[in-house]
Amino acid sequence: MWLAVDAGGGVRAWPVDAGGAPGAEIAAPDLAGVLARLAAKPDLAVVDGAADAPLVDRPAGIADLAAAAARRSVAGVPCAILPRLVLGGVALESAARLAGALGQMHAERPAARAQHVCLIGGDVEWAHAAQGRVGSLRRTGIGARRDALLRGDAARSAGGVDEDDDVAFERGLSLSEEGGDPEPHIAAVLKEAASGARRGGALGAMLAGVLVGADAAMGLNLGRLGGPVALVGPAAPRHALMARRYAVALGRFGVAVRRLDPLASFLGGCRVLAAK
């Protein structure tokens, strides 16, 4: 048995048996806490998203990431600490989910020369790989930007919150689907809020539409598509709405979307990067 560990934003882990089937999720403050809850020690713990993970600048291939994994022991258990890809000094959250998504897309379309991936989690991350190497990365603070807008005076006075309002989201998306600077569209939505024409959940959803549309347009500009965009949904349920919104936005742009299971992508990436 080995252990797949997601150390980004708290520690969650899945014991994986010899047949490759994951067990129930274990959550704990740290890896030692996870290990203490297991009946037997795993042969190996593969840790993704660690704060002290090695950093790898792009462009990088899967083999480069695997070679950069650090090895150490925690509570007597050997660990492979997976590296993090870096762009402009900002490290992306998960090498495992990205590697797993790229591997699955390559297996499904081996003739494709490029893959485009959108990872939804605590942030939204985009990656473009060509000839087996990740050459373009983008990470966006869209969630933080949305929250900051909703805390502003105009949105607060209109009772703005982000709710699942499909009609309002589509209206915001229609404003920004051509790409470019979203700020004029944000200003227009906030002007509607100030006039009383847009309030509550509809206001938050419309702002989300503007932001998601602009971000999706920019994310698609990382490189030429080699097939569908792989959309790796969230590990946390609170991010599920964001993943669905990106699927809608990409569909509006005429882009095929292949939605991948986040746990399957995570485990697949752990396996290939730790040679497990």
Side-chain angles (χ1 to χ4, degrees), residues 173-182 185 213-218 221 253:
L173 188 59
S174 67
L175 293 175
S176 63
E177 63 183 345
E178 298 301 323
D181 183 5
H185 306 306
D215 182 60
M218 287 187 283
N221 287 332
F253 295 159

Side-chain angles (χ1 to χ4, degrees), residues 84-151:
R84 302 175 73 186
L85 273 172
V86 177
L87 170 65
V90 177
L92 300 191
E93 290 181 346
S94 173
R97 283 201 302 154
L98 175 58
L102 290 174
Q104 186 169 341
M105 295 300 285
H106 177 71
E108 293 179 1
R109 299 173 60 89
R113 304 181 69 178
Q115 293 87 30
H116 222 84
V117 180
C118 178
L119 301 164
I120 309 292
D123 212 334
V124 177
E125 301 170 347
W126 296 83
H128 181 262
Q131 305 292 335
R133 296 178 68 78
V134 179
S136 299
L137 295 169
R138 183 170 180 271
R139 182 176 182 179
T140 174
I142 186 170
R145 175 67 172 136
R146 175 203 57 205
D147 293 345
L149 289 169
L150 290 175
R151 289 193 299 268

Side-chain angles (χ1 to χ4, degrees), residues 6 12 93-94 97-98 117-126 140 142 146 212 215-216 229-247 250 257 259-262:
D6 181 357
R12 298 178 307 130
E93 290 181 346
S94 173
R97 283 201 302 154
L98 175 58
V117 180
C118 178
L119 301 164
I120 309 292
D123 212 334
V124 177
E125 301 170 347
W126 296 83
T140 174
I142 186 170
R146 175 203 57 205
V212 168
D215 182 60
V229 171
L231 180 62
V232 186
R238 68 183 182 277
H239 302 310
L241 176 58
M242 186 69 78
R244 186 166 65 80
R245 284 172 167 172
Y246 271 84
L250 291 169
V257 177
R259 296 194 67 168
L260 304 182
D261 177 79

Side-chain angles (χ1 to χ4, degrees), residues 88-89 95 263:
L263 181 56

